[in-house]
Amino acid sequence: MTNIPPPAEELRLLDAELRQLDARRAVLLRRREWLVHVLRTASAQRSVPGAGQMPPVWPVAAGAAAPRTEATAPGVQNVLLLLGGILLTVAAIAFTLVGWGHLGITGRALVLAAVTLAALSAPVWLLRRGLGSTAEAVAALGMALTVLDAYALHEVAFDGSDGLGYAAAASAVLSAAWAAYGTAADLLVPRSDAGSPTRPDRARAGAATAARPALRLPLPCAVVTAQVPLLLWALAVDAGPHTLTAVLLVTAAADTVVALRPAHAPVRIVGLVGACVAGALGVLSAGWLCWSAAAPVAAARGAALLLLAAAVALAAARYAPKPEVALCASLAAGLCLVAGAGGVLRAWLPGEWTVPGCLALGIALLTAVRTPLPRPMRQGVVGASLVVQGLAVLWTLPLVAGTLLGPVALIERPWSGTPLDIRDAVFQDAAWPSYATAAPLVLAAVAGVLALAERRAVRRPASGVGALVLAWAAVVVTPVVLELPYGAGLVADGAVVVVALGIAERARRGTGGPSAPALTALVLALVTSVTLALVSLATEAGTITVLLALAALFGVASTRPGLVAFTAPAALAHATALACAAGASAGLRPEHTALLVLVVPAVAALVAARAARAGRSAATVTVEAAGAGAALLALALAVTDLPVLASVLALCGVVTAGTALRPERRRAGHAAAALFLLAAWVRLAAWEVTTPEAYTLPVSVAALAVGHLRRRRDPSVSSWAAHGAGLSVTLVPSLLAMWGDPHWLRPLLLGTAALAVTLVGARSRLQAPLVLGGGTLALVALHELAPYIAQVVGVLPRWAPPALAGLVLLALGATYEQRLRDARRLREALGRLH
């Protein structure tokens, strides 16, 4: 049954339907209006020849394709106007320079004035008729004519005046005239006729962006011309470098005002480029004047110029429309302030205190953080402070690098004698950096700043790591700077190692695991320990004492679970160096010292096994790597003595075999077997054994035994995989040795062994022994028959071998199919073997 709603409910439903219909009708009407507008616009563009592209000069024939245009109408128009303006300008220059003498004074003036006035007034008339591009071209011609007018005026009325002075005055007048001309064009031409209506995006850009002027060229050209009047005037009056620098800075200030005022984009861009170029030149010149001055007064004059540059930069930062510009300007202002004050300090203070003074000024800039300046300006000033601090740290790098790398020269002359002091030990072969006395103070000051920043949670943990590194560098170079006694310097470096390890352990406990400060402190401890070990090479007692102390220190530090991955390898490395030093101290030869070094790999294997049981895989890998490095060093030391080298290889094999007993290091057994084999070969070489079977038979026996056990466990293993390598190791070298052996014993023994291998392969139906043994037996037989074959070949006539070869070929061709069938049967028979 139909459910009829009450009248009130039905009325509500009808109203809702009507509202939806009205809304849909409004949408369709708007869509219709838009489509009509699109169609009308397209029709208008097709009806107007200049709207889209230029119409063809000749009508296109019916059925022919229309020619493709390669240039747009506006592009052609601009090219024509540009060429026309250039040609008229060239003609005016030619008239002024070449045809000037054909007219009198009055005629010349009237002609130039009439042409210039016509060229300058025509753009207004053209703009009112909507010909903007043509107006721009004619305006450019008029401005070029004003330059020619200025030249003509100099030649006629001011030919005796100074050229630079007249150029300065003329450029100033031309700049003002062009600016007034551009402004007058805006006033004389209505905005609608100028063809520059305000766009919607311009309204969103804010009040700082003005509408495009009627003529776009005069104002930018006026700004460009305004760059030279002051500079030309200064050159005309033979101004000194300080005046020229001031002129550049004043010009930069004027350009900054132009760049910051609400003008259209080309004017602001020209002003910004001019401010940057003039300001950079002025700052460089002022810096050179300040830092090259010998007297404080001259340095103060240069500093005043830098102060002026800083004031201009701060003003630009204060009124800059974008935060990025404000940041860069305030950064430049801060650097100018520090450079000026630093130049004055350089003239007042001794040379070594110039950098600390500049650093103090740079740190003082950090007080800008608490000023009410805008955030971009504060960031720029802080950036200037960071730049100054970074440059100060770079100034200390030669001293730090020399302190760390200078002791490397002691490797060439160990135990040469006790140096005069620690500086003599470190910089014995390197030049002492000039003005390095204040380097520790600079490093400590920057480290303090970073530590304070880290405490206030500024860029953690980078600030903390930087503070730690710089503080370490300051402490490391201090003994060298103070010229402490040699022993005191060693003790100081040792204390640095202990403190760094303590900081690493404390940082690890604080974070519950490895952290950036902990790893940094650990790396610094390792670097300091290497430097300390190198410095200790000056004396025998110092070397052994330092290496023993470092090995013990890092060994104790290895008991901490968070540091063992780094400290245990370091302890083993120092122990290796200690073993070498002890051997040299005891008068042992290098090959005998190698036996002493082998204690380190044995200890490393024990430590790695303990770390593996504790579940520290990273420590296991690093410890085993350190042990392998010590073993390689032992081999290098023993390489000159074959008996000792064999013993070292055997001992390394023992250590490796012990490592292979661990379940996760089973593959080390292959390395152990290789080491034992090499030890045996080296021992045979030491006994001057030249028979190859002495080297190959042990390998073959071991390989065949392993292959036999493998096939017993897995009968599906191929005989080539189980026995191929073991048989080849002996059979192949013996075959090669047999061909150069004139005696009968080796062929007899090799043939017997090959026969035995072949019989075993035939009995066991194994492919590898059968093929290798049979092939070897055939080659041995061929070797034994070779003399007789040679005799027979010598007796036969020369035609017999070719005839025999022909008969063989005929026989093979005749029985080719049967031979193929036999070959397939042989292959199948071999394939059935294992």
Side-chain angles (χ1 to χ4, degrees), residues 602-692:
V603 175
L606 297 176
V607 174
R610 181 179 178 183
R613 288 194 299 269
R616 296 190 290 268
S617 58
T620 303
V621 174
T622 56
V623 168
E624 288 176 345
L632 291 176
L633 177 61
L635 292 175
L637 292 174
V639 73
T640 57
D641 193 328
L642 292 182
V644 177
L645 179 60
S647 301
V648 171
L649 286 169
L651 292 176
C652 290
V654 171
V655 175
T656 308
T659 302
L661 295 177
R662 290 158 38 199
E664 72 278 6
R665 291 291 186 267
R666 294 300 188 194
R667 292 188 177 182
H670 301 291
L675 289 172
F676 285 131
L677 177 62
L678 290 175
W681 285 357
V682 172
R683 175 55 65 180
L684 291 174
W687 288 337
E688 298 181 357
V689 175
T690 57
T691 303

XYZ file of all heavy atoms in Angstrom, residues 602-692:
628
model
N 97.430 -15.676 20.249
C 96.901 -16.675 21.181
C 95.996 -16.024 22.225
O 94.893 -16.516 22.512
C 98.062 -17.410 21.859
N 96.438 -14.894 22.782
C 95.590 -14.178 23.744
C 94.323 -13.673 23.079
O 93.227 -13.718 23.664
C 96.396 -13.025 24.379
C 95.507 -12.196 25.292
C 97.590 -13.573 25.153
N 94.446 -13.185 21.837
C 93.270 -12.703 21.118
C 92.252 -13.813 20.907
O 91.034 -13.590 21.020
C 93.683 -12.115 19.774
N 92.712 -15.035 20.611
C 91.777 -16.159 20.452
C 91.037 -16.443 21.747
O 89.821 -16.708 21.745
C 92.539 -17.392 19.977
N 91.740 -16.390 22.881
C 91.077 -16.624 24.168
C 90.071 -15.527 24.489
O 88.943 -15.791 24.938
C 92.128 -16.726 25.271
C 93.123 -17.901 25.144
C 94.163 -17.825 26.255
C 92.387 -19.233 25.194
N 90.462 -14.271 24.251
C 89.552 -13.155 24.528
C 88.334 -13.211 23.613
O 87.194 -12.951 24.034
C 90.294 -11.814 24.373
C 89.335 -10.640 24.521
C 91.416 -11.711 25.403
N 88.535 -13.560 22.333
C 87.405 -13.666 21.408
C 86.449 -14.771 21.824
O 85.222 -14.617 21.727
C 87.929 -13.908 19.993
N 86.989 -15.898 22.282
C 86.115 -16.975 22.751
C 85.300 -16.538 23.966
O 84.095 -16.819 24.070
C 86.958 -18.205 23.089
N 85.926 -15.814 24.868
C 85.189 -15.321 26.037
C 84.125 -14.313 25.624
O 82.999 -14.344 26.148
C 86.167 -14.668 27.007
C 85.519 -14.147 28.274
C 86.548 -13.540 29.201
N 85.911 -12.993 30.398
C 86.570 -12.348 31.364
N 87.892 -12.195 31.273
N 85.915 -11.877 32.405
N 84.456 -13.421 24.683
C 83.455 -12.453 24.227
C 82.310 -13.137 23.504
O 81.146 -12.715 23.606
C 84.122 -11.431 23.301
N 82.598 -14.220 22.772
C 81.531 -14.952 22.104
C 80.600 -15.616 23.109
O 79.380 -15.634 22.931
C 82.133 -15.992 21.161
N 81.166 -16.166 24.180
C 80.305 -16.766 25.216
C 79.450 -15.721 25.910
O 78.333 -16.011 26.346
C 81.172 -17.497 26.238
C 81.782 -18.786 25.724
C 82.334 -19.629 26.853
N 83.385 -18.924 27.579
C 84.677 -19.001 27.282
N 85.070 -19.752 26.241
N 85.578 -18.350 27.984
N 79.977 -14.474 26.001
C 79.205 -13.402 26.636
C 78.195 -12.776 25.692
O 77.434 -11.891 26.107
C 80.153 -12.329 27.169
N 78.178 -13.194 24.413
C 77.207 -12.662 23.471
C 77.588 -11.329 22.867
O 76.716 -10.612 22.361
N 78.866 -10.943 22.889
C 79.312 -9.670 22.310
C 79.980 -9.969 20.967
O 81.196 -10.147 20.878
C 80.260 -8.960 23.259
C 79.621 -8.538 24.575
C 80.537 -7.619 25.367
N 81.686 -8.316 25.899
C 81.745 -8.880 27.102
N 80.693 -8.828 27.900
N 82.832 -9.485 27.511
N 79.161 -10.037 19.924
C 79.675 -10.405 18.602
C 80.584 -9.331 18.024
O 81.579 -9.631 17.355
C 78.505 -10.669 17.650
O 77.683 -9.517 17.560
N 80.254 -8.045 18.255
C 81.094 -6.965 17.723
C 82.498 -7.023 18.306
O 83.501 -6.867 17.602
C 80.453 -5.611 18.010
N 82.583 -7.251 19.613
C 83.893 -7.368 20.245
C 84.652 -8.582 19.727
O 85.873 -8.549 19.549
C 83.731 -7.439 21.758
N 83.934 -9.666 19.452
C 84.590 -10.871 18.934
C 85.267 -10.590 17.591
O 86.416 -10.970 17.369
C 83.547 -11.991 18.781
O 82.925 -12.223 20.036
C 84.205 -13.256 18.290
N 84.564 -9.903 16.716
C 85.119 -9.624 15.385
C 86.341 -8.714 15.482
O 87.375 -8.955 14.844
C 84.034 -8.994 14.498
C 84.620 -8.552 13.168
C 82.907 -9.985 14.266
N 86.259 -7.642 16.272
C 87.385 -6.708 16.361
C 88.600 -7.355 17.019
O 89.735 -7.118 16.602
C 86.962 -5.470 17.150
O 86.461 -5.871 18.448
C 85.860 -4.716 16.426
N 88.361 -8.178 18.024
C 89.484 -8.852 18.693
C 90.147 -9.835 17.747
O 91.386 -9.923 17.677
C 88.986 -9.537 19.980
C 90.055 -10.469 20.531
C 88.615 -8.504 21.026
N 89.351 -10.594 17.009
C 89.935 -11.540 16.056
C 90.688 -10.799 14.948
O 91.725 -11.276 14.474
C 88.826 -12.402 15.460
C 88.257 -13.411 16.447
C 87.092 -14.189 15.871
O 86.556 -13.750 14.830
O 86.720 -15.211 16.462
N 90.181 -9.646 14.528
C 90.905 -8.862 13.526
C 92.254 -8.386 14.060
O 93.274 -8.415 13.351
C 90.053 -7.675 13.094
N 92.275 -7.942 15.326
C 93.542 -7.519 15.923
C 94.517 -8.687 16.022
O 95.724 -8.548 15.753
C 93.291 -6.910 17.297
N 94.010 -9.862 16.415
C 94.874 -11.040 16.470
C 95.401 -11.428 15.110
O 96.577 -11.802 14.964
N 94.558 -11.346 14.069
C 95.028 -11.657 12.716
C 96.102 -10.670 12.264
O 97.078 -11.048 11.606
C 93.837 -11.631 11.751
N 95.931 -9.382 12.610
C 96.964 -8.411 12.269
C 98.295 -8.722 12.938
O 99.362 -8.610 12.315
N 98.251 -9.124 14.214
C 99.485 -9.497 14.911
C 100.125 -10.726 14.270
O 101.354 -10.812 14.141
C 99.189 -9.748 16.388
N 99.298 -11.692 13.844
C 99.845 -12.882 13.198
C 100.512 -12.529 11.868
O 101.579 -13.052 11.537
C 98.730 -13.898 12.975
N 99.904 -11.642 11.106
C 100.529 -11.205 9.849
C 101.856 -10.499 10.104
O 102.819 -10.674 9.345
C 99.572 -10.288 9.097
C 98.316 -10.943 8.513
C 97.419 -9.894 7.878
C 98.695 -12.010 7.490
N 101.918 -9.700 11.166
C 103.177 -9.053 11.511
C 104.244 -10.082 11.871
O 105.418 -9.957 11.471
C 102.953 -8.085 12.678
C 104.203 -7.370 13.209
C 104.848 -6.517 12.126
C 103.862 -6.525 14.429
N 103.858 -11.113 12.596
C 104.812 -12.169 12.936
C 105.316 -12.871 11.681
O 106.519 -13.173 11.561
C 104.150 -13.168 13.883
N 104.430 -13.134 10.746
C 104.864 -13.768 9.501
C 105.813 -12.862 8.731
O 106.793 -13.334 8.134
C 103.640 -14.094 8.649
C 102.710 -15.183 9.196
C 101.474 -15.313 8.326
C 103.433 -16.520 9.278
N 105.523 -11.548 8.716
C 106.410 -10.619 8.016
C 107.782 -10.565 8.673
O 108.809 -10.442 7.982
C 105.779 -9.228 7.991
N 107.841 -10.656 9.978
C 109.128 -10.637 10.669
C 109.928 -11.905 10.423
O 111.165 -11.871 10.389
C 108.900 -10.442 12.175
C 108.363 -9.078 12.612
C 108.062 -9.092 14.103
C 109.359 -7.970 12.294
N 109.248 -13.045 10.263
C 109.944 -14.329 10.129
C 110.184 -14.741 8.691
O 110.701 -15.831 8.437
C 109.129 -15.425 10.832
N 109.822 -13.918 7.724
C 109.883 -14.342 6.332
C 111.313 -14.531 5.848
O 111.551 -15.243 4.865
C 109.137 -13.309 5.458
C 109.940 -12.021 5.315
C 108.801 -13.893 4.096
N 112.282 -13.952 6.525
C 113.683 -14.079 6.075
C 114.330 -15.379 6.540
O 115.418 -15.717 6.065
C 114.503 -12.891 6.602
O 114.396 -12.841 8.032
C 113.982 -11.584 6.012
N 113.716 -16.108 7.445
C 114.288 -17.354 7.967
C 113.254 -18.457 7.785
O 112.228 -18.497 8.478
C 114.654 -17.198 9.441
C 115.526 -18.338 9.954
O 115.365 -19.464 9.461
O 116.344 -18.107 10.863
N 113.504 -19.397 6.841
C 112.499 -20.401 6.504
C 112.179 -21.350 7.664
O 111.003 -21.649 7.898
C 112.955 -21.196 5.277
C 113.005 -20.406 3.958
C 113.426 -21.306 2.819
C 111.650 -19.787 3.671
N 113.134 -21.862 8.407
C 112.759 -22.737 9.531
C 111.877 -22.025 10.557
O 110.882 -22.585 11.036
C 114.108 -23.157 10.117
C 115.068 -23.034 8.990
C 114.611 -21.858 8.208
N 112.229 -20.783 10.886
C 111.411 -20.045 11.845
C 110.037 -19.725 11.237
O 109.012 -19.779 11.926
C 112.129 -18.759 12.293
C 111.258 -17.949 13.240
C 113.457 -19.104 12.948
N 110.019 -19.418 9.950
C 108.738 -19.147 9.295
C 107.840 -20.379 9.337
O 106.614 -20.259 9.555
C 108.982 -18.715 7.855
C 107.741 -18.414 7.010
C 106.937 -17.280 7.629
C 108.133 -18.083 5.579
N 108.417 -21.574 9.145
C 107.613 -22.792 9.245
C 107.044 -22.957 10.652
O 105.870 -23.329 10.816
C 108.469 -23.999 8.866
N 107.855 -22.658 11.647
C 107.356 -22.755 13.028
C 106.243 -21.738 13.278
O 105.226 -22.043 13.932
C 108.503 -22.543 14.009
O 109.527 -23.499 13.811
N 106.425 -20.515 12.783
C 105.398 -19.484 12.972
C 104.099 -19.895 12.276
O 103.001 -19.742 12.835
C 105.918 -18.132 12.447
C 104.795 -17.094 12.427
C 107.064 -17.639 13.304
N 104.206 -20.451 11.062
C 103.003 -20.905 10.371
C 102.315 -22.025 11.132
O 101.077 -22.062 11.242
C 103.364 -21.369 8.963
C 103.696 -20.269 7.946
C 104.296 -20.874 6.682
C 102.445 -19.478 7.601
N 103.094 -22.933 11.663
C 102.496 -24.027 12.435
C 101.810 -23.511 13.689
O 100.703 -23.949 14.032
C 103.578 -25.045 12.794
N 102.445 -22.578 14.386
C 101.817 -22.024 15.589
C 100.542 -21.243 15.229
O 99.542 -21.301 15.956
C 102.815 -21.134 16.316
C 104.017 -21.864 16.953
C 104.988 -20.862 17.552
C 103.535 -22.835 18.023
N 100.579 -20.520 14.114
C 99.353 -19.837 13.670
C 98.259 -20.851 13.335
O 97.073 -20.622 13.612
C 99.653 -18.975 12.454
S 100.679 -17.524 12.804
N 98.658 -21.978 12.764
C 97.677 -23.023 12.497
C 97.080 -23.579 13.770
O 95.884 -23.898 13.830
N 97.905 -23.721 14.794
C 97.395 -24.212 16.083
C 96.362 -23.245 16.654
O 95.284 -23.628 17.130
C 98.561 -24.433 17.065
C 98.038 -24.729 18.464
C 99.455 -25.556 16.585
N 96.691 -21.955 16.634
C 95.747 -20.948 17.149
C 94.453 -20.952 16.335
O 93.342 -20.883 16.887
C 96.413 -19.556 17.135
C 95.413 -18.484 17.546
C 97.614 -19.532 18.069
N 94.583 -21.049 15.007
C 93.391 -21.056 14.148
C 92.568 -22.316 14.373
O 91.327 -22.273 14.373
C 93.801 -20.948 12.680
O 94.679 -19.824 12.510
C 92.603 -20.759 11.788
N 93.241 -23.450 14.570
C 92.508 -24.686 14.857
C 91.762 -24.584 16.183
O 90.632 -25.076 16.315
C 93.476 -25.860 14.873
N 92.387 -23.961 17.160
C 91.671 -23.744 18.418
C 90.444 -22.861 18.231
O 89.391 -23.077 18.852
N 90.570 -21.855 17.369
C 89.408 -21.008 17.081
C 88.315 -21.800 16.378
O 87.118 -21.587 16.610
C 89.841 -19.815 16.215
O 90.860 -19.076 16.901
C 88.667 -18.898 15.913
N 88.712 -22.738 15.507
C 87.732 -23.536 14.773
C 86.950 -24.482 15.670
O 85.929 -25.041 15.233
C 88.432 -24.318 13.669
N 87.371 -24.686 16.895
C 86.618 -25.547 17.806
C 85.293 -24.909 18.224
O 84.380 -25.615 18.656
C 87.452 -25.850 19.052
C 88.730 -26.670 18.815
C 89.500 -26.836 20.115
C 88.384 -28.035 18.207
N 85.184 -23.588 18.110
C 83.917 -22.921 18.426
C 82.908 -23.194 17.332
O 83.254 -23.182 16.151
C 84.139 -21.421 18.593
C 84.914 -21.082 19.859
C 85.593 -19.735 19.819
N 84.809 -18.712 19.163
C 85.347 -17.598 18.693
N 86.654 -17.399 18.788
N 84.597 -16.688 18.109
N 81.653 -23.446 17.678
C 80.655 -23.822 16.647
C 80.477 -22.763 15.568
O 80.281 -23.099 14.399
C 79.367 -24.023 17.464
C 79.838 -24.302 18.854
C 81.095 -23.515 19.035
N 80.544 -21.484 15.945
C 80.295 -20.448 14.950
C 81.528 -20.142 14.113
O 81.466 -19.307 13.206
C 79.825 -19.161 15.636
C 80.884 -18.395 16.410
C 81.113 -18.959 17.818
O 80.504 -20.022 18.122
O 81.862 -18.350 18.591
N 82.657 -20.783 14.377
C 83.889 -20.551 13.626
C 84.427 -21.840 13.007
O 85.629 -22.026 12.892
C 84.956 -19.936 14.545
C 84.670 -18.517 14.979
C 84.783 -17.559 13.808
N 84.661 -16.165 14.214
C 83.518 -15.494 14.208
N 82.404 -16.099 13.803
N 83.467 -14.231 14.590
N 83.521 -22.737 12.588
C 83.952 -24.000 12.007
C 84.763 -23.795 10.725
O 85.679 -24.566 10.426
C 82.733 -24.876 11.688
C 81.966 -25.347 12.924
C 82.831 -26.178 13.841
N 82.051 -26.772 14.925
C 82.589 -27.314 16.004
N 83.907 -27.321 16.147
N 81.815 -27.836 16.927
N 84.425 -22.763 9.973
C 85.127 -22.553 8.718
C 86.580 -22.154 8.915
O 87.367 -22.183 7.968
C 84.413 -21.471 7.917
C 83.038 -21.902 7.434
C 82.440 -20.888 6.502
N 81.168 -21.342 5.983
C 80.433 -20.667 5.097
N 80.875 -19.494 4.630
N 79.287 -21.161 4.678
N 86.945 -21.752 10.112
C 88.350 -21.452 10.365
C 89.225 -22.693 10.246
O 90.457 -22.589 10.133
C 88.524 -20.826 11.749
N 88.596 -23.887 10.286
C 89.371 -25.114 10.114
C 90.056 -25.175 8.765
O 91.158 -25.720 8.644
N 89.435 -24.644 7.715
C 90.087 -24.616 6.402
C 91.350 -23.767 6.450
O 92.389 -24.140 5.879
C 89.113 -24.060 5.373
C 87.837 -24.849 5.255
N 87.803 -26.113 4.737
C 86.557 -24.549 5.617
C 86.562 -26.569 4.749
N 85.775 -25.633 5.291
N 91.276 -22.614 7.117
C 92.465 -21.775 7.255
C 93.544 -22.483 8.065
O 94.749 -22.383 7.751
C 92.093 -20.444 7.906
N 93.128 -23.198 9.100
C 94.120 -23.935 9.896
C 94.819 -25.002 9.050
O 96.057 -25.172 9.115
C 93.440 -24.567 11.107
N 94.034 -25.741 8.247
C 94.640 -26.749 7.381
C 95.607 -26.111 6.387
O 96.703 -26.634 6.129
C 93.543 -27.515 6.643
N 95.235 -24.978 5.828
C 96.128 -24.292 4.890
C 97.408 -23.845 5.582
O 98.507 -23.938 5.006
C 95.403 -23.096 4.280
N 97.290 -23.348 6.813
C 98.496 -22.930 7.541
C 99.410 -24.115 7.837
O 100.647 -24.014 7.704
C 98.083 -22.232 8.833
C 97.452 -20.847 8.664
C 96.913 -20.349 9.993
C 98.476 -19.858 8.115
N 98.832 -25.237 8.242
C 99.662 -26.426 8.487
C 100.337 -26.889 7.199
O 101.517 -27.286 7.206
C 98.796 -27.555 9.064
C 98.436 -27.355 10.498
C 97.126 -27.498 10.923
C 99.393 -27.024 11.441
C 96.777 -27.312 12.253
C 99.061 -26.842 12.780
C 97.742 -26.985 13.186
N 99.603 -26.864 6.109
C 100.186 -27.268 4.836
C 101.333 -26.327 4.445
O 102.406 -26.780 4.013
C 99.101 -27.265 3.760
C 99.567 -27.613 2.341
C 100.123 -29.030 2.292
C 98.415 -27.473 1.362
N 101.117 -25.012 4.584
C 102.187 -24.062 4.281
C 103.391 -24.269 5.186
O 104.549 -24.150 4.740
C 101.654 -22.631 4.416
C 100.664 -22.174 3.352
C 100.134 -20.783 3.694
C 101.336 -22.148 1.979
N 103.135 -24.574 6.447
C 104.253 -24.842 7.358
C 105.074 -26.039 6.892
O 106.319 -26.018 6.912
C 103.717 -25.065 8.771
N 104.372 -27.093 6.457
C 105.085 -28.273 5.967
C 105.877 -27.941 4.707
O 107.037 -28.358 4.549
C 104.091 -29.404 5.691
N 105.274 -27.200 3.800
C 105.987 -26.853 2.574
C 107.202 -25.984 2.856
O 108.265 -26.163 2.254
C 105.030 -26.120 1.632
C 104.040 -27.037 0.969
C 103.982 -28.399 1.086
C 102.990 -26.651 0.098
N 102.958 -28.897 0.350
C 102.321 -27.854 -0.291
C 102.530 -25.448 -0.396
C 101.225 -27.848 -1.144
C 101.451 -25.441 -1.266
C 100.797 -26.625 -1.628
N 107.050 -25.000 3.751
C 108.193 -24.153 4.090
C 109.301 -24.982 4.731
O 110.496 -24.760 4.469
C 107.738 -23.005 5.006
C 108.937 -22.224 5.547
C 106.809 -22.052 4.258
N 108.923 -25.958 5.588
C 109.934 -26.813 6.193
C 110.654 -27.635 5.133
O 111.893 -27.786 5.173
C 109.264 -27.720 7.221
C 110.184 -28.753 7.837
C 111.422 -28.143 8.462
N 111.087 -27.292 9.586
C 112.001 -26.635 10.303
N 113.290 -26.696 9.946
N 111.637 -25.878 11.303
N 109.916 -28.173 4.172
C 110.560 -28.919 3.090
C 111.486 -28.015 2.267
O 112.568 -28.429 1.855
C 109.491 -29.534 2.187
C 108.663 -30.673 2.817
C 107.557 -31.096 1.872
C 109.555 -31.868 3.156
N 111.015 -26.777 2.023
C 111.876 -25.844 1.292
C 113.125 -25.516 2.092
O 114.215 -25.338 1.519
C 111.104 -24.569 0.971
N 113.002 -25.449 3.419
C 114.176 -25.195 4.246
C 115.154 -26.364 4.186
O 116.370 -26.166 4.285
C 113.745 -24.932 5.689
N 114.630 -27.585 4.026
C 115.492 -28.761 3.879
C 115.993 -28.936 2.440
O 116.639 -29.925 2.126
C 114.723 -30.013 4.287
C 114.517 -30.095 5.784
C 115.238 -29.490 6.753
C 113.483 -30.834 6.432
N 114.744 -29.785 7.985
C 113.653 -30.626 7.831
C 112.431 -31.646 6.014
C 112.825 -31.196 8.790
C 111.615 -32.233 6.960
C 111.803 -32.009 8.342
N 115.648 -28.003 1.579
C 116.064 -28.014 0.170
C 115.550 -29.248 -0.560
O 116.233 -29.847 -1.403
C 117.585 -27.918 0.044
C 118.135 -26.626 0.607
C 119.641 -26.524 0.448
O 120.239 -27.503 -0.052
O 120.203 -25.478 0.788
N 114.338 -29.634 -0.240
C 113.682 -30.746 -0.930
C 113.044 -30.205 -2.197
O 112.219 -29.282 -2.150
C 112.615 -31.404 -0.022
C 111.849 -32.475 -0.778
C 113.277 -31.992 1.213
N 113.422 -30.767 -3.372
C 112.897 -30.297 -4.648
C 111.941 -31.289 -5.295
O 111.376 -30.998 -6.349
C 114.057 -30.024 -5.616
O 114.837 -31.227 -5.775
C 114.938 -28.899 -5.080
N 111.773 -32.461 -4.708
C 110.849 -33.442 -5.285
C 109.419 -32.971 -5.068
O 109.007 -32.748 -3.922
C 111.043 -34.812 -4.607
O 112.405 -35.200 -4.749
C 110.131 -35.851 -5.242
N 108.628 -32.800 -6.143
C 107.268 -32.259 -5.947
C 106.365 -33.195 -5.159
O 105.442 -32.737 -4.486
C 106.767 -32.055 -7.379
C 107.601 -32.960 -8.228
C 108.944 -33.027 -7.571
